[in-house]
Amino acid sequence: MQSGRGDGQEAGNPAPIPVKLVVAGGFGVGKTTMVGAVSEFPPLTTEEEMTVASEGIDDLSGVDRKETTTVALDFGRITISDEIVLYLFGAPGQNRFWPLWNDLALGAVGAVVLVDTRKLQDAFASVDFFERRGIPFVVAVNIFDDTYEYEPEEVRDALVIPPEVPIVICDARDRALCKNALVTLVRHAIDRAPSEIG
């Protein structure tokens, strides 16, 4: 008995190409929200309730209403076509989880560095991480309801971002804006690819 849509491999078609992307940034910047906004299924998250044990360790300034935190990763998927599937890995933001970033970045085509302009200093470590590893990235400025909206070039100057790195305005709750950030990242990675091949 055959279904209306055959299995691609049974029909002789190759398996889809997996494209790994990382969503990174500081603590409480909106990474879990972004992965959830674009994933085609409810994302796998490792959210845990924040407890008194994190007092004095996690800086809650600007995110004082935050009640949960990612302790390992977020995972989502977007099927682009029969040939390409995007796998999204949200990285935890606290310093103590940074050793996980090396594993999450392994094999990644690129990264979205999500930025909260209320805590711009938290973005430097993420930018530095991907620059040092030569991994293409874009900066996505997450819009919060109570923040002043800076122009992308103002953010570029503040973070000392090279001119070739795209900067986009994003709302981690908005599927269309998040998808735009991911499309911008993939295009940026493709544009960089020829110069990376020796």
Side-chain angles (χ1 to χ4, degrees), residues 16-91:
I17 298 169
V19 177
K20 181 180 184 182
L21 302 176
V22 176
V23 179
F27 174 61
V29 76
K31 301 177 296 292
T32 298
T33 302
M34 181 176 188
V35 172
V38 294
S39 179
E40 63 194 30
F41 58 76
L44 166 70
T45 64
T46 56
E47 289 281 292
E48 294 293 337
E49 286 188 23
M50 296 184 66
T51 66
V52 293
S54 69
E55 289 181 7
I57 298 173
D58 296 330
D59 180 7
L60 294 178
S61 57
V63 290
D64 50 333
R65 293 189 302 250
K66 188 171 174 61
E67 297 178 353
T68 62
T69 186
T70 301
V71 297
L73 60 90
D74 302 310
F75 174 74
R77 183 185 72 198
I78 306 172
T79 301
I80 303 298
S81 67
D82 289 341
E83 292 81 30
I84 300 175
V85 176
L86 302 183
Y87 293 100
L88 307 178
F89 291 82

Side-chain angles (χ1 to χ4, degrees), residues 74-192:
D74 302 310
F75 174 74
R77 183 185 72 198
I78 306 172
T79 301
I80 303 298
S81 67
D82 289 341
E83 292 81 30
I84 300 175
V85 176
L86 302 183
Y87 293 100
L88 307 178
F89 291 82
Q94 300 96 314
N95 296 4
R96 65 184 182 276
F97 295 124
W98 281 356
L100 291 172
W101 283 37
N102 287 319
D103 293 328
L104 291 177
L106 189 63
V109 168
V112 172
V113 174
L114 205 54
V115 171
D116 179 351
T117 56
R118 299 170 301 179
K119 303 185 301 173
L120 207 55
Q121 70 279 1
D122 292 354
F124 284 101
S126 301
V127 168
D128 185 59
F129 179 90
F130 295 106
E131 281 184 336
R132 286 177 182 266
R133 286 157 183 80
I135 297 174
F137 68 95
V138 300
V139 172
V141 181
N142 194 9
I143 300 170
F144 289 86
D145 295 334
D146 58 347
T147 57
Y148 176 80
E149 293 186 25
Y150 291 92
E151 292 297 323
E153 291 309 308
E154 292 178 285
V155 175
R156 183 183 307 281
D157 290 344
L159 291 175
V160 196
I161 302 293
E164 67 273 12
V165 174
I167 298 181
V168 298
I169 302 300
C170 184
D171 182 332
R173 302 164 295 187
D174 186 300
R175 181 178 175 84
L177 291 175
C178 292
K179 285 173 69 175
N180 177 63
L182 295 173
V183 168
T184 302
L185 170 60
V186 171
R187 286 180 175 156
H188 177 56
I190 290 170
D191 288 345
R192 274 195 44 177

